Amino acid sequence: MEVMQVLHMNKGDDENSYAKNSKVQSKIISLGKRINEEAIMQILCSNIPDIMGIADLGCSSGPNSLSVISEITDIIYAKCRELGRPTPELKVFLNDLPHNDFNFIFGSLPAFYDKLKKEKGSEFGPCFVSATPGSFYGRLFPSRSLHCVHSSSSLHWLSQVPAGLESNARTAMNKGKIYISKSSSLCVLEAYSLQFQKDFSSFLKSRSKEIVPGGCMLLSFMGRRSTDPTADESCYHWELLAQALMSMVSEGLVEEEKVDSFNAPYYGPCVEEMRLEIEKDGSFSVNRLETFEIDWDGGVDDVDTTSGAASRGQRVAKTIRAVVESMLESHFGKDIMDELFRRYGEMVEGYLSKTGTKYTNLVISMVRN
């Protein structure tokens, strides 16, 4: 699987789109708001640059794409007014993989600019928004061009399926599974861990060249509290998806070899793994590191009244489908998607009725040394 070519959130704004099924990610953004504000304030209190570079890595599309940028501009505007200083010119870069639905974002920009003008007036410095397609596991921006980097719900995606687990591997190392599970062999666990270490190291090295000294970086992504990579908090949503696929194998609807040859390019690290890579790189100092628990469906407070009749399992299935369908479709074909996620929703409903398992989200604020 070529991750850069096949991974993208579901496009458009239909019932299976990411735009309509990203409430969990919205909740995660809101939980990190206080830490984000704290990090940006630290920059503005020490020095307000004339031109400020801001990047959102893994911006996706839909309502969340510009919400982070809107939040950052609010923080900058409020602090500059408090200090009696003019606001800097803002260069905003929205990054995601090349097949992201950037057109959806571009269509939202006129309303975004109108809102800025209406709320902040002519005294607010110009804000220039552009797209930067590419993998954040390599360089994306000129040296020392960024003051603030934000990334939410993205860094749990790896640059590739771990070595040895690719679909063309001679031997299936993770039979009947599509991610780490309690039955996975040690070599599978090690392959995923090594791929995360390699990718996160590349991410830090790239950002260390692009962020100015004293600049901030706020990262928020799925992880785990436990040091055990097979803990339910980080992998059981994948376990249930594997079970849904294997139920279709038992009925002859999916080839077993197809399941055996698919492994998700995903990894939810623990705090210790993150800290180790940051310390090894040495370019950043950690200001704050917190963990939050998130309901699989985002919580009842986030349920849209127009779709409130949907069960928790159905809501979770739609959320996961909006994120992973592009990868599954490229491997298993389009025809099984409706049935697969119907079964998955039923399995999730049964599982959540018996357990209080939640996602664990890691939020880390860092400063460039």
Side-chain angles (χ1 to χ4, degrees), residues 63-84:
N64 294 339
S65 296
L66 293 174
S67 66
V68 170
I69 302 306
S70 182
E71 176 186 305
I72 291 173
T73 59
D74 287 346
I75 295 168
I76 294 170
Y77 177 68
K79 189 60 181 179
C80 287
R81 288 196 66 181
E82 178 188 319
L83 298 173

Side-chain angles (χ1 to χ4, degrees), residues 3 6 18 62 64 67 83 92 101 130 136 156 160 175 208 220 243 256 281 327 347 350:
V3 174
V6 302
Y18 182 80
N64 294 339
S67 66
L83 298 173
V92 177
D101 193 357
S130 61
F136 49 48
H156 42 249
Q160 64 174 64
K175 289 183 66 64
S208 70
S220 176
Q243 289 179 19
E256 186 170 4
D281 178 81
M327 293 187 301
M347 291 179 176

Side-chain angles (χ1 to χ4, degrees), residues 95-114:
N95 157 260
D96 213 305
L97 294 176
H99 290 279
N100 183 56
D101 193 357
F102 286 108
N103 284 336
F104 190 101
I105 302 175
F106 297 154
S108 305
L109 282 176
F112 172 77
Y113 286 131
D114 287 345

Side-chain angles (χ1 to χ4, degrees), residues 2-7 97-99 134-135 159:
E2 182 57 52
V3 174
M4 187 176 287
Q5 297 301 318
V6 302
L7 177 59
L97 294 176
H99 290 279
S135 170
S159 67

